Each structure stands twice: as structure tokens, then as C-alpha cells.
Amino acid sequence: MDKYTLFPTISTSFIVISAILVAIGWNLAIKRKLDQHKKVMIAAAIAAIIFFIIYSSRTIIVGNTEWGGPDNLKPYYLTFLIFHIVLATVAAGFGITTLVLGFNSKFAKHRKWGRITSVIWFFTAITGVAVYILLYMMYPGGHTKPMIDAIFG
Ligand code: HEM
């Protein structure tokens, strides 16, 4: 595996790990195992932060990968990519809010925000894996460019 594929593979794995931890953490909250819920959700947040560190450093150092598939599919891919990026950004804001509400013991609000955060994060992970499959498995061969060029170029 070359360096262009290695980093996205690692970062996408961390989104998936984080989403699985959120699913486990939610289940623990429903079962009222709240100490374990807290630990598992903190682990999920750490996995999300590791994803973000790998993803952003790769974007700065190596650049983003350009669409390598047929030209007529490119607008659909870009729409999907932007949808995924928006979801991930919204999930980060909701995630921080949910954590702060939890740490401040505002559990009624935490519960409402936590449910929405978890669902958004599941969709972020699913769309992230779909982007990975489109970009590295179905149509390999796109070369790297700085982020702005990959989206608007
Ligand atoms: C981003 C991380 C977190 C997410 C996504 C999250 C998500 C959730 C969800 C979805 C529920 C509701 C379960 C249900 O009834 O359907 C919940 C409940 C709860 N969470 Fe979290 N949680 C997170 C972090 C934390 C942390 C760090 C703490 C402790 C400091 C915590 C403490 C609790 C407690 C005590 C409840 C029960 C609230 C109640 O039923 O009144 N959570 N969480």
C-alpha cells in the first residue's frame, strides 16, 4: 500500500472504530451502566480526535486525493464528499456539546443531544467509508492535490 492510500485507510478505520464505540456506549447508557458509558464515549471521542489529526496532517503534508473515476460521475462524487464533510463538521460541534453537557451533569439535555450526536456520527462514518470505497477501491488512480484544488479544481 502506498503512502497516498495508507493514511486514508488508517484515518477511515478510526472513524469506523469511533462509530462502533458510540454504538456500544449508547447501549451501555440504555442499560444504565453509566460509568462504562462514560469511559466508552471518551474512548470514542479520542478515536475521533485521532482520525482528525491523521486526516488534517495528511491534507496539509500530502494533499487530498482527486476523483479518479469517470468524468460524468464527478459531480455526484463531489456532492457526496461535501455532504460527508458537512456531516463530520456538524458531528464535531454536537460531540463537543454532548461531552460538555455530560461533564457538567446536565443529563436531561445531554441525553437529547447525545442521541442526535450519535446518529449524525453513524452517518458520518457510513458516508466516510463510502467516500473511501469510491476514491480508493472502485476507481483507483486519482493523484493528490492540495485540498482546495481537489474540491474546486
Ligand atoms: C460524545 C460523547 C457522548 C455521547 C455521544 C453520549 C450519548 C448519550 C446518549 C445517546 C444517551 C441517552 C441514552 C438513551 O437513553 O437513549 C446518554 C445518556 C447519558 N450519558 Fe452520555 N454520551 C457521551 C458522553 C458522556 C459522558 C462523558 C458522560 C459523563 C460525564 C455521560 C453521561 C451520561 C449519563 C449519566 C446518561 C444518562 C442520562 C439520563 O438518562 O438522564 N455521557 N449519553
Side-chain angles (χ1 to χ4, degrees):
M1 190 179 282
D2 60 35
K3 68 171 177 176
Y4 300 118
T5 313
L6 180 66
F7 291 107
T9 305
I10 298 171
S11 62
T12 308
S13 305
F14 273 98
I15 301 191
V16 174
I17 291 167
S18 179
I20 292 169
L21 288 171
V22 167
I24 295 169
W26 191 344
N27 197 257
L28 288 167
I30 291 168
K31 290 182 178 156
R32 313 304 294 168
K33 295 182 178 167
L34 297 173
D35 273 350
Q36 291 180 42
H37 164 75
K38 180 177 173 179
K39 285 180 191 150
V40 170
M41 288 306 198
I42 290 171
I46 292 169
I49 291 165
I50 294 173
F51 153 75
F52 187 69
I53 291 170
I54 298 171
Y55 173 80
S56 48
S57 43
R58 179 198 79 120
T59 301
I60 294 161
I61 299 161
V62 187
N64 272 70
T65 306
E66 206 187 12
W67 172 242
D71 280 351
N72 61 338
L73 292 184
K74 190 172 176 180
Y76 299 104
Y77 164 74
L78 286 179
T79 308
F80 196 69
L81 173 65
I82 290 167
F83 178 60
H84 167 71
I85 293 170
V86 170
L87 273 181
T89 310
V90 172
F94 271 68
I96 292 164
T97 308
T98 303
L99 281 168
V100 170
L101 288 170
F103 285 124
N104 290 333
S105 304
K106 301 206 166 126
F107 293 125
K109 279 190 177 170
H110 169 84
R111 192 175 186 161
K112 284 183 190 150
W113 280 79
R115 288 176 182 169
I116 300 167
T117 302
S118 304
V119 172
I120 297 173
W121 196 228
F122 295 146
F123 280 105
T124 305
I126 293 164
T127 53
V129 170
V131 167
Y132 177 85
I133 291 170
L134 283 166
L135 211 49
Y136 298 100
M137 295 172 79
M138 280 178 70
Y139 302 111
H143 36 267
T144 62
K145 275 184 161 189
M147 188 163 87
I148 297 293
D149 287 1
I151 295 176
F152 299 108

